[in-house]
Amino acid sequence: MQALSLPDVPTAVVSALLGDAAARTPWRMSALASGGNNRVVRIEAGGRDLVLKQYFHHPDDPRDRLGAEFGFSSFAWRNGVRCLPEPIAADAERHLGLYAFIPGRKLEACEVDDAAVTQAVDFVLALDALRGRPEGRRLPPASESCFCLADHLALVERRVRRLGRIEPHDSLQAEAAVFVSQVLVPAWDKLAAYSREAASRACIALDEELPQAERVISPSDFGFHNALRAEDGTIRFIDFEYAGWDDPAKLVCDFFNQVAIPVPRSHFAAFAGRIAATRPRPELQRKRIELLLPAYAMKWACIILNDFLPAGAMRRRFAGAGGADRREQQLLKARKAIAALSV
C-alpha cells in the first residue's frame, strides 16, 4: 500500500482519482521533489507511474491553480500537443490534480542551448496554432494577464509596493525591508519613468490594448525551471498553474527574466523574433517586447522576495520549502538582479 500520504487527503480520495488503476492493484506513493508552490507525490498504480499534485490555495492567494493547469493541459492533449504531462483526473474541491509521470531530470544552466530554446519556442507556437479552435477561445486569461503597456507597468508597480509590507520580525526580514525601501523602490521609480518615456518615443500609447488576434495562449511562468529533459534530449514542460491568454510580450519577457535557470540573452533576438513573426504587427510586437524587458526584470526581482511576505512564506511551507537559508539566498539574488538593471 501507500508509503506516505498527503496531509488532509484521505486514502479514499486518492483511490477515487486513480479509478481503474487503483482497483486493479494496490497502489503506492513515494516522495517527489516539489516546487515552491504545491505538494507533489509519485504514485505507482496498475502498472502506471503517475504524479499527484495538491495545489496551494489560501484566502490571500485564491487563484485557481488546479483549474488553470488541468484545463490548459487537457486542451493541449486533446489537440495533439504532447510535450507536457497527460492530465488524468482532478478533484476541484480538494485542489488535487492527477497527471502521467514524465521521466527526466531538471536541466542545468549550461544545457540551455539553441536546441533547447528551439524546443521551447516550438511548444509555444504549437499552442498558438490552436488559437482559433472553440475550446482554445474558451481558455481563461492567464494569471496576471496584461494587454496594454499601462497594465504591465501597473502589475510591476503592485508587486513593488506589496513588498513595502514586509514585517521586520527578525534581522533578515529587517534587512529585506531596508533593501526594498532604499534600493528596490528608487530603482523601480526610475525604471517606470524610463519605460513611459520609451513608449512615447516609440509612439505606443500606454493604454492601447492588444486585440484578440495579437494575444497568445501562454504556458505562463514559462522557462527551463519548469522543464524536464529526457535521456534523448527531448524536453517536456511542466507546471501550468498560471496558464491562459496573455500578451506575447509578457511571455517573452518572463522567459528571459526568470532566474532559476537563466536563458542567455544571445537567444533573445531569435526567440522574440519567432514569436513576433506570428502576430499581425510583428514590428510593433518587437518594440513592445524590448520596451518591457527591463520592467519584467524588476518584476522577477520582486518575485524573488515573495518569501518575505506572509502569503509567499505560507506557500513555501505548504510545498515543503522555505526557511532562513532560503530567504538569505533570495535576498542575495534580488540584490544581484537590481544591480544588473540598466536603464
Side-chain angles (χ1 to χ4, degrees), residues 9 47 127 156 172 219 226 241 343:
V9 180
L127 292 167
V156 184
L172 197 54
N226 285 331
E241 60 202 67
V343 294

Side-chain angles (χ1 to χ4, degrees), residues 14-26:
V14 179
S15 294
L17 278 173
L18 292 172
D20 291 343
R24 286 196 299 269
T25 183

Side-chain angles (χ1 to χ4, degrees), residues 9-211:
V9 180
T11 298
V13 171
V14 179
S15 294
L17 278 173
L18 292 172
D20 291 343
R24 286 196 299 269
T25 183
W27 53 270
R28 181 171 56 189
M29 276 189 187
S30 57
L32 196 63
S34 298
N37 295 324
N38 310 301
R39 294 169 177 156
V40 187
V41 295
R42 182 174 177 177
I43 299 179
E44 299 170 65
R48 296 191 68 181
D49 280 345
L50 305 165
V51 169
L52 180 63
K53 294 182 71 170
Q54 184 182 27
Y55 293 83
F56 179 79
H57 191 81
H58 188 272
D60 290 340
D61 187 358
R63 288 177 287 188
D64 183 8
R65 290 175 161 85
L66 166 64
E69 178 158 34
F70 202 86
F72 172 88
S73 301
S74 299
F75 165 72
W77 263 81
R78 281 195 296 267
N79 288 282
V81 180
R82 299 296 164 84
C83 53
L84 72 165
E86 179 186 4
I88 306 297
D91 183 330
E93 180 181 353
R94 295 177 176 84
H95 310 292
L96 297 171
L98 186 68
Y99 303 87
F101 174 80
I102 292 180
R105 58 171 177 80
K106 289 287 189 179
L107 280 77
E108 301 289 339
C110 61
E111 296 178 293
V112 180
D113 54 13
D114 286 342
V117 174
T118 295
Q119 290 189 61
V121 75
D122 285 347
F123 175 45
V124 173
L125 296 181
L127 292 167
D128 190 64
L130 306 171
R131 59 185 294 111
R133 302 198 177 185
E135 58 183 322
R137 292 196 294 268
R138 289 193 295 269
L139 288 173
S143 177
E144 296 190 325
S145 58
C146 298
F147 300 109
C148 68
L149 296 185
D151 286 347
H152 287 285
L153 298 180
L155 165 64
V156 184
E157 176 81 17
R158 287 192 298 272
R159 285 189 172 273
V160 169
R161 303 306 167 191
R162 190 183 306 153
L163 292 172
R165 301 202 299 263
I166 293 176
E167 299 176 0
H169 54 69
D170 62 30
S171 60
L172 197 54
Q173 291 281 128
E175 186 180 349
V178 170
F179 169 72
V180 168
S181 64
Q182 296 186 4
V183 179
L184 187 142
V185 169
W188 168 243
D189 290 343
K190 179 181 177 182
L191 178 55
Y194 166 83
S195 299
R196 294 185 180 96
E197 292 168 4
S200 178
R201 290 194 302 270
C203 298
I204 304 174
L206 289 173
D207 60 353
E208 180 186 348
E209 187 166 303
L210 279 183

Side-chain angles (χ1 to χ4, degrees), residues 262-337:
V263 181
R265 289 295 169 89
S266 57
H267 299 288
F268 176 77
F271 186 98
R274 285 191 66 189
I275 299 296
T278 63
R279 306 300 94 191
R281 297 178 291 176
E283 186 57 35
L284 173 65
Q285 285 298 334
R286 282 191 288 268
K287 288 179 180 178
R288 295 174 78 259
I289 291 168
E290 291 170 1
L291 191 154
L292 288 168
L293 193 64
Y296 272 80
M298 176 61 73
K299 187 193 92 164
W300 278 86
C302 293
I303 290 173
I304 292 168
L305 294 172
N306 274 345
D307 287 47
F308 291 91
L309 293 170
M314 283 187 290
R315 194 167 63 248
R316 300 301 182 227
R317 287 195 297 271
F318 177 85
D325 288 346
R326 177 182 164 91
R327 284 186 297 141
E328 189 171 356
Q329 293 169 4
Q330 295 300 90
L331 182 54
L332 178 60
K333 289 178 184 177
R335 290 187 185 279
K336 291 180 177 178

